[in-house]
Amino acid sequence: MSDIIQLLPDHVANQIAAGEVVQRPASVVKELMENAIDAKSSIIKLLIKDAGKTLVQVIDNGSGMSVTDARLSFSRHATSKIRSAEDLFQIHTKGFRGEALASIAAIAHVELKSKQEEDEVGIQLIIEGSDVISQEVVVTPKGTSISVKNLFFNIPARRNFLKSNQVETRHIIDEFHRVALAHPSIQFVMYHNGSEIFNLPESNYRQRIVNIFGTKTNEKLVPVNEETEVVKISGFVGKPEYAKKTRGEQFFFVNDRFIKSAYLNHAITSAFEGLLKDNTHASYFLNLTVDPQTIDINIHPTKTEIKFDDEHTLYAILRASVKHSLGQFNIAPVLDFDRDANLDTPYNYKDIQNPSVPNIEVDRSFNPFQERQFSGKQTTAFRKQTPSNWDSLYVGLESKGTQTQQDFTSLQFESEEQTSSVFKDQSQVETKQSTFQIQNKYVISTIKSGILVIDQHRAHQRVLYEDFLKNMTVKQSMSQQLLFPIKLHFSPQEIDILKQVKDDLEYTGFLFSEILKDSIEISGVPIHVPGSEVSVILEQLINDIENEVPDSNFSPTDLLAKSMAKSLAVKSGQSLSVPEQEHLVNSLFGCKEPNMSPTNKTTFVTLSVDELERKFI
């Protein structure tokens, strides 16, 4: 039998590796920006076109590369970060695998310009699908510029799997946030289709968070600082009252590297226990500094998962640190039964250095044991005043006394209510109740063939979805004006999303009086929408738009209608009156698609009489 095992060509091996390292344009952004950080850059610029599908370019002023290094950098497992296997447990750089540039070059058109400080000229490399097209000497400033064009040009199937430009741009911004937050001492600039999205100057950690997420973020932050033999923790957590429905602002950094860890996230959730509303998530921006020997980064190609040597100790320290900060800054309530509240200094007097002695007035003539003689003319606290028309008070009193006996004989009492059969007068027949609610979740309605069991949340979603879709399509809606406009604060990225759907929101009934860089002012809301729910609805809408996977079958209008229907629909556990139940049932079967919710889930099931009879056999 002939041999069947053979070595794969380098360009095939690179494409296989690219499937792990480069999943979308955001992966290219992450790898190139981390390489720029490893090159000790102080300014890093990111240029994006068409959500990274056309161009991803990273320009830095780092150490640059020589001609030999530039050619070698696109080979598999070629790296300057480690020398031996032991170095894997002493990693202080972002990259170390030596696969990123080789993987990117295998599936894109790459142009590299690089120059070291001591060299007079630099090198320019043009690579297409792992093949070096040209190598030339070029005049370029110190540092490196890498342009990645036409991603997945030789793998059309992978390119077809990319999402819409809006979704891909969101992933790129997420990666940009993660890298920029981990390195506040580096200036980052980002351009998308020629317009500046971010310009983050060198700053401290708190200012970097504010520059990214908006000025309103500053008042939401509670500092966390703890240093032990195991780990050093620094950063900020968000105040409980600013908790969001989504997990957007949750960042863990271990040795300046962004990671995802459900276990450590549970430690934060545990620290906030009792302080958060249901289905809300606290924000946090925490840096953990540990000994590199106690962690293993090389367990996932994207390096976002880390294996810790002692997770249980880390969990306990992190939870205790966050609880301590919440208590230290009076965020969490504290019960002290030994404290005497009478000894607390009033808030208005806390800054007074030399308080004055209060004047005390004493009535020295007062004798509590002295007996007082009260005369007929007793004084009261009320002023005695003789009414001007006092004589009119007694007019007719004599005649009333003589007629008292006759009044009782002429009184007529209301006759007792006479009950009669409900079938004699058809107008007095009570309407029979046709709907019932079970567990405040399901509405039961009777039909000729049996009964209907309706999920009230899904059914109301369907009703609201079709109403919103109709209003946005016909472009007619009813809005209720607010007496006091509502001002809400969002990050610049969230404001951009709201601007994109502003017209559709207005067709549903929202009225925007002002839209600024980090806040909006709402003067009108749709009918039956309480003002307190506006922030929840818009947060849910932004999250749905960010995480939705729109394709040719779904329009932004459809997505907006789904999101608002989900936010405003009656929830499971909410009690409905009989008229509300009947209205829901009638509205549901007035819809075009009553069988399914907007998310394609069953709204009701039918139980026939035959099925019920079989239950009793």
Side-chain angles (χ1 to χ4, degrees):
M1 187 174 178
S2 59
D3 299 332
I4 59 175
I5 296 178
Q6 58 182 351
L7 290 173
L8 289 174
D10 285 342
H11 69 279
V12 178
N14 287 338
Q15 288 189 4
I16 294 173
E20 295 180 337
V21 179
V22 183
Q23 300 169 357
R24 57 187 353 136
S27 306
V28 177
V29 171
K30 173 181 180 294
E31 298 293 343
L32 296 184
M33 291 185 69
E34 288 183 347
N35 283 343
I37 293 171
D38 288 339
K40 296 179 174 56
S41 308
S42 60
I43 300 176
I44 299 175
K45 296 181 180 180
L46 171 64
L47 287 78
I48 302 295
K49 282 187 180 179
D50 298 331
K53 299 174 184 177
T54 302
L55 172 69
V56 175
Q57 184 177 7
V58 175
I59 305 171
D60 67 66
N61 62 347
S63 57
M65 289 186 283
S66 64
V67 177
T68 305
D69 288 344
R71 284 297 298 265
L72 196 59
S73 64
F74 290 96
S75 302
R76 286 195 73 202
H77 305 308
T79 179
S80 62
K81 316 297 172 59
I82 61 174
R83 291 286 184 268
S84 62
E86 287 75 17
D87 293 340
L88 289 173
F89 297 96
Q90 288 289 343
I91 293 176
H92 297 278
T93 56
K94 300 295 182 184
F96 56 88
R97 298 166 64 94
E99 287 185 328
L101 289 180
S103 300
I104 293 170
I107 54 173
H109 297 161
V110 179
E111 179 183 350
L112 168 71
K113 294 181 181 179
S114 187
K115 172 183 165 300
Q116 293 180 325
E117 188 172 9
E118 60 272 13
D119 296 336
E120 294 183 357
V121 292
I123 180 176
Q124 180 184 28
L125 282 177
I126 298 178
I127 301 175
E128 296 181 3
S130 298
D131 297 328
V132 179
I133 304 301
S134 69
Q135 175 180 336
E136 298 177 354
V137 174
V138 67
V139 176
T140 183
K142 173 199 170 220
T144 304
S145 170
I146 299 182
S147 302
V148 178
K149 306 173 184 177
N150 305 322
L151 195 64
F152 301 123
F153 79 99
N154 53 354
I155 313 178
R158 287 290 300 276
R159 191 175 180 88
N160 292 336
F161 275 108
L162 294 178
K163 311 305 179 189
S164 66
N165 284 357
Q166 189 176 6
V167 174
E168 295 297 341
T169 302
R170 184 65 216 173
H171 284 287
I172 291 174
I173 291 177
D174 285 343
E175 291 293 348
F176 182 84
H177 285 172
R178 294 166 182 176
V179 176
L181 284 172
H183 301 275
S185 60
I186 300 176
Q187 179 181 351
F188 290 92
V189 184
M190 178 180 173
Y191 296 90
H192 184 218
N193 292 337
S195 61
E196 184 178 277
I197 307 298
F198 291 101
N199 190 345
L200 308 176
E202 178 182 348
S203 62
N204 57 31
Y205 191 44
R206 188 182 193 116
Q207 191 61 44
R208 175 58 55 90
I209 297 173
V210 171
N211 288 337
I212 291 177
F213 295 102
T215 54
K216 191 70 176 178
T217 313
N218 189 38
E219 64 185 56
K220 305 177 184 179
L221 301 179
V222 178
V224 178
N225 287 288
E226 193 68 43
E227 187 169 357
T228 66
E229 296 179 355
V230 178
V231 62
K232 178 183 178 182
I233 301 173
S234 63
F236 302 90
V237 295
K239 294 180 180 178
E241 59 264 32
Y242 297 106
K244 292 190 173 184
K245 292 280 186 181
T246 60
R247 298 179 178 269
E249 298 177 1
Q250 295 185 339
F251 296 90
F252 273 124
F253 301 97
V254 175
N255 294 355
D256 295 335
R257 183 190 304 276
F258 173 80
I259 68 158
K260 297 177 182 178
S261 174
Y263 187 67
L264 296 183
N265 179 73
H266 188 271
I268 304 296
T269 306
S270 178
F272 276 91
E273 185 177 3
L275 301 176
L276 297 178
K277 297 179 182 178
D278 292 338
N279 300 320
T280 58
H281 308 279
S283 303
Y284 54 79
F285 312 86
L286 295 175
N287 296 299
L288 280 66
T289 305
V290 299
D291 187 351
Q293 293 184 349
T294 63
I295 58 175
D296 185 6
I297 306 171
N298 191 29
I299 62 173
H300 196 276
T302 60
K303 300 187 283 287
T304 56
E305 298 179 11
I306 289 182
K307 181 65 177 176
F308 293 96
D309 201 12
D310 189 358
E311 280 188 328
H312 298 290
T313 303
L314 201 61
Y315 179 99
I317 295 174
L318 184 60
R319 179 178 179 273
S321 301
V322 174
K323 281 187 79 72
H324 174 69
S325 292
L326 293 175
Q328 183 179 8
F329 292 92
N330 294 327
I331 305 300
V334 178
L335 288 178
D336 186 0
F337 296 101
D338 297 329
R339 182 178 65 87
D340 187 355
N342 294 325
L343 299 178
D344 290 346
T345 302
Y347 184 79
N348 295 332
Y349 294 88
K350 66 182 180 62
D351 296 326
I352 299 178
Q353 300 295 332
N354 297 315
S356 59
V357 179
N359 296 325
I360 302 175
E361 296 181 0
V362 180
D363 184 5
R364 301 189 181 277
S365 62
F366 175 72
N367 185 0
F369 303 102
Q370 180 180 357
E371 293 185 2
R372 296 190 178 185
Q373 299 293 332
F374 295 100
S375 62
K377 299 181 179 180
Q378 183 179 353
T379 60
T380 62
F382 299 97
R383 186 174 61 177
K384 188 174 181 181
Q385 183 175 1
T386 304
S388 58
N389 54 346
W390 63 270
D391 51 344
S392 63
L393 298 175
Y394 304 97
V395 174
L397 188 61
E398 296 80 1
S399 60
K400 288 183 181 179
T402 58
Q403 296 177 358
T404 304
Q405 300 296 330
Q406 300 176 1
D407 289 342
F408 286 108
T409 59
S410 61
L411 285 178
Q412 294 183 359
F413 294 94
E414 184 179 354
S415 60
E416 294 183 2
E417 182 181 359
Q418 297 182 3
T419 59
S420 60
S421 174
V422 295
F423 299 104
K424 289 182 180 180
D425 188 1
Q426 190 65 26
S427 63
Q428 295 179 358
V429 176
E430 296 183 1
T431 304
K432 183 179 179 182
Q433 183 176 348
S434 60
T435 59
F436 304 89
Q437 192 178 23
I438 297 179
Q439 298 293 325
N440 288 341
K441 183 176 182 180
Y442 301 104
V443 176
I444 309 298
S445 179
T446 58
I447 55 176
K448 289 183 178 180
S449 59
I451 60 173
L452 285 176
V453 183
I454 302 171
D455 187 307
Q456 65 184 35
H457 179 61
R458 294 180 184 178
H460 201 207
Q461 276 192 59
R462 166 54 64 179
V463 174
L464 293 176
Y465 168 70
E466 293 197 3
D467 285 345
F468 287 135
L469 208 57
K470 178 182 177 181
N471 291 338
M472 286 185 281
T473 304
V474 181
K475 298 184 179 179
Q476 293 179 350
S477 63
M478 298 292 290
S479 177
Q480 56 182 353
Q481 296 292 316
L482 297 174
L483 184 60
F484 300 103
I486 300 174
K487 189 168 186 178
L488 302 174
H489 294 269
F490 295 98
S491 66
Q493 300 77 45
E494 294 170 338
I495 294 292
D496 290 338
I497 293 175
L498 291 176
K499 286 181 179 178
Q500 295 172 10
V501 297
K502 174 177 177 289
D503 293 340
D504 290 330
L505 281 172
E506 289 178 341
Y507 295 141
T508 64
F510 282 99
L511 294 179
F512 297 91
S513 57
E514 188 178 48
I515 298 181
L516 302 177
K517 185 178 180 181
D518 59 353
S519 66
I520 62 172
E521 191 173 84
I522 298 174
S523 58
V525 296
I527 295 178
H528 306 308
V529 174
S532 58
E533 294 292 322
V534 172
S535 61
V536 177
I537 294 170
L538 295 183
E539 284 182 13
Q540 183 66 53
L541 172 63
I542 292 170
N543 181 60
D544 289 341
I545 293 176
E546 290 176 353
N547 299 325
E548 189 71 21
V549 187
D551 52 29
S552 58
N553 298 326
F554 293 95
S555 64
T557 303
D558 182 81
L559 177 61
L560 177 60
K562 284 182 179 177
S563 178
M564 291 188 61
K566 181 171 62 175
S567 300
L568 293 174
V570 293
K571 304 298 187 289
S572 297
Q574 184 174 342
S575 178
L576 300 178
S577 64
V578 174
E580 289 173 338
Q581 298 169 24
E582 294 177 351
H583 179 71
L584 178 61
V585 174
N586 295 333
S587 300
L588 175 64
F589 290 101
C591 295
K592 295 180 180 179
E593 296 286 344
N595 299 328
M596 306 296 290
S597 71
T599 53
N600 294 326
K601 294 181 179 178
T602 304
T603 56
F604 67 87
V605 293
T606 305
L607 294 178
S608 65
V609 176
D610 294 337
E611 290 176 324
L612 291 174
E613 287 180 350
R614 285 196 293 268
K615 300 290 184 182
F616 293 96
I617 295 177

